């Protein structure tokens, strides 16, 4: 005698899902599950893209390149004149030296 209650519950669930409300409920649950799956895939893909490079990576590379180019300059914009170099190396600044601090 205890199995009669389970049979009645099963029949009421079957009648609910066969009704138009039950079908609408199944479609709604399916749409929610699909939305959650798509959102999870999007978030996982987004997390992978952001972890590849550090935000300062490009800035640091640009600065290093800038200072490297400044150090490797061959034009004499940053060179000191020979007269001043010899005067400074002798620790005596010649009065005729053409050296100005920029």
């Amino acid at each position: 005698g205890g199995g009669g209650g389970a049979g009645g519950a099963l029949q009421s669930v079957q009648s609910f899902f066969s009704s138009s409300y039950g079908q609408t409920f199944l479609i709604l649950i399916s749409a929610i599950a699909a939305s959650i799956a798509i959102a999870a895939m999007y978030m996982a893909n987004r997390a992978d893209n952001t972890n590849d490079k550090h935000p300062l990576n490009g800035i640091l590379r640009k600065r290093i390149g800038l200072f490297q180019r400044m150090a490797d300059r061959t034009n004499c914009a940053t060179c000191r004149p020979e007269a001043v170099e010899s005067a400074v190396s002798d620790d005596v600044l010649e009065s005729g030296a053409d050296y100005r601090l920029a």
Side-chain angles (χ1 to χ4, degrees):
L10 181 62
Q11 185 178 0
S12 66
V13 168
Q14 286 177 346
S15 66
F16 173 73
F17 285 127
S18 63
S19 70
S20 63
Y21 291 118
Q23 291 175 356
T24 305
F25 178 74
L26 285 177
I27 291 172
L28 179 67
I29 293 297
S30 300
I32 291 172
S35 299
I36 290 172
I38 290 170
M41 289 176 9
Y42 172 75
M43 294 301 264
N45 189 22
R46 184 175 166 206
D48 287 343
N49 288 340
T50 57
N51 290 337
D52 288 344
K53 292 185 179 179
H54 191 274
L56 294 177
N57 191 21
I59 303 278
L60 291 174
R61 191 172 338 152
K62 184 178 177 182
R63 288 258 169 118
I64 290 170
L66 174 71
F67 285 110
Q68 187 65 39
R69 284 191 304 274
M70 287 172 56
D72 291 340
R73 256 190 200 168
T74 56
N75 67 1
C76 284
T78 58
C79 299
R80 293 171 25 172
E82 288 83 30
V84 175
E85 287 178 358
S86 64
V88 171
S89 64
D90 294 336
D91 292 327
V92 177
L93 185 60
E94 298 173 352
S95 61
D98 189 24
Y99 180 74
R100 284 183 273 164
L101 186 61

